[in-house]
Amino acid sequence: QGRLVESGGGLVQAGGSLRLSCAASGSTFSRLTMAWYRQPPGKERKLVAFIDPGFRTTYADSVKGRFTILRDNAKRTVDLQMNRLEPEDAAVYYCNTHPHSRQYWGQGTQVTVSS
């Protein structure tokens, strides 16, 4: 059974950048649509972006033009490059498949944006 482990979160000033990374185990990674989700404090978890096996990408309106999702099938990683961060981007970020699968929810990685 595969696992997903997120990393790269931290504290950044508004306007700054962070790159999150998700490392996957398992042999089916290249065939999966992979996604990043986020959950701000006290709010529900929502989809941020996803990338399909053909490298086509889709973004939530709130991050379009600022975030980029990338995958490396050889390394089994999916990254989220986040630029021009805003306080509203503060959340715990998770990677998972799209649609998400209960088995893949991990601890996530915390992103804090100071204004």
Side-chain angles (χ1 to χ4, degrees):
Q1 183 169 331
R3 286 185 65 223
L4 301 173
V5 179
E6 303 95 345
S7 62
L11 172 63
V12 63
Q13 284 189 325
S17 298
L18 275 178
R19 187 176 179 112
L20 308 182
S21 188
C22 172
S25 62
S27 60
T28 62
F29 178 80
S30 64
R31 300 195 295 271
L32 298 173
T33 293
M34 298 301 299
W36 282 93
Y37 301 79
R38 68 185 182 186
Q39 186 168 19
K43 297 185 178 181
E44 64 182 18
R45 187 155 44 195
K46 290 189 176 181
L47 179 67
V48 174
F50 62 89
I51 183 166
D52 72 12
F55 294 85
R56 290 176 291 264
T57 58
T58 302
Y59 298 92
D61 287 344
S62 59
V63 306
K64 209 171 285 184
R66 299 188 297 121
F67 290 12
T68 303
I69 188 169
L70 312 102
R71 69 187 300 160
D72 185 327
N73 289 336
K75 295 181 180 178
R76 294 179 187 164
T77 59
V78 55
D79 289 2
L80 187 67
Q81 176 65 45
M82 306 186 294
N83 298 328
R84 305 200 319 268
L85 281 160
E86 302 169 354
E88 294 73 23
D89 296 317
V92 179
Y93 283 72
Y94 302 87
C95 69
N96 203 313
T97 55
H98 177 64
H100 58 78
S101 175
R102 179 180 292 185
Q103 68 174 337
Y104 290 132
W105 290 123
Q107 297 298 310
T109 187
Q110 177 74 52
V111 172
T112 304
V113 184
S114 63
S115 55

